[in-house]
């Protein structure tokens, strides 16, 4: 099957992304790696009227080691979590878990934020994120 018709938005700033969400409300859905949402749209379990693509927002990507925190952006791909020396050194469980997700193509596209938001009970990253000490920053 193919998805129902939708409008596609690719904001280049976080402010624009947030404005689109505010404007379209529950008619809009964010898309990150598309590895869970696209199949759901193709099967028409999800039928958003507006798709807001997060892929042009570099500030949501990457891994940073702060004084007592490993900070991971929502748009960081599973592949980066699996191969980052910083993640391997600071939180090896996260790197090991990310390396076991799906196959190579899935890990190249899927993101931490998408996996956590999708919250499949069988998924690796929501389980890792529920370990003591993990914290979510939802604000820009
Ligand atoms: C063949 C296949 C095998 C897979 N195997 C595994 C596996 O073994 N283990 C596993 O854990 N997962 C697996 N997955 C799922 C994969 O990890 C997905 O990448 C992940 O679940 C969703 O991430 P995404 O970036 O693709 O999100 P998307 O599909 O783009 O989005 C998923 C949901 O999250 C929302 N969302 C995305 N980003 C954000 C954000 N920043 N803030 C708020 N909401 C957001 C979207 O609106 C949507 O509702 C598999 C997928 C496929 C297709």
């Amino acid at each position: 099957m193919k998805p129902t018709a939708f409008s596609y938005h690719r904001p280049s700033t976080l402010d624009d992304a947030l404005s689109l969400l505010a404007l379209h409300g529950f008619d809009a859905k964010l898309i990150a790696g598309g590895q869970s949402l696209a199949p759901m749209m193709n099967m028409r379990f999800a039928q958003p009227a507006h798709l807001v693509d997060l892929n042009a927002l570099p500030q949501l990507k990457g891994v940073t080691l702060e004084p007592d925190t490993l900070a991971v952006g929502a748009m960081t791909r599973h592949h980066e979590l699996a191969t980052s020396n910083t993640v391997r050194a600071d939180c090896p469980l996260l790197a090991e878990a990310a390396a076991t997700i799906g196959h190579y193509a899935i890990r190249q596209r899927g993101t931490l934020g998408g996996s956590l938001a999708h919250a499949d009970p069988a998924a690796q990253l929501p389980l890792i994120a529920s370990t003591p000490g993990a914290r979510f920053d939802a604000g820009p």
Side-chain angles (χ1 to χ4, degrees):
M1 283 176 75
K2 294 293 172 201
T4 49
F6 58 88
S7 299
Y8 173 77
H9 310 268
R10 191 176 169 92
S12 54
T13 69
L14 207 46
D15 281 349
D16 286 349
L18 292 170
S19 298
L20 284 163
L21 289 182
L23 180 65
H24 297 298
F26 289 116
D27 290 335
K29 258 199 169 302
L30 297 171
I31 186 161
Q35 299 304 300
S36 294
L37 183 57
M40 290 186 64
M41 289 176 64
N42 284 340
M43 290 184 283
R44 303 198 174 184
F45 292 136
Q47 301 186 7
H50 297 271
L51 265 193
V52 179
D53 188 341
L54 297 176
N55 281 277
L57 300 174
Q59 64 271 48
L60 294 182
K61 297 176 185 163
V63 171
T64 320
L65 193 55
E66 297 172 355
D68 57 357
T69 305
L70 179 71
V72 183
M75 284 299 292
T76 307
R77 315 262 177 210
H78 305 329
H79 179 73
E80 183 174 354
L81 292 176
T83 56
S84 156
N85 288 335
T86 305
V87 178
R88 288 212 161 263
D90 196 68
C91 189
L93 179 64
L94 178 57
E96 289 299 321
T100 66
I101 294 174
H103 50 75
Y104 185 72
I106 303 296
R107 294 194 295 276
Q108 285 289 336
R109 294 302 306 165
T111 66
L112 174 69
S115 181
L116 295 182
H118 188 63
D120 185 327
Q124 284 91 326
L125 298 181
L127 174 65
I128 303 297
S130 69
T131 55
R135 197 186 75 213
F136 293 77
D137 286 338

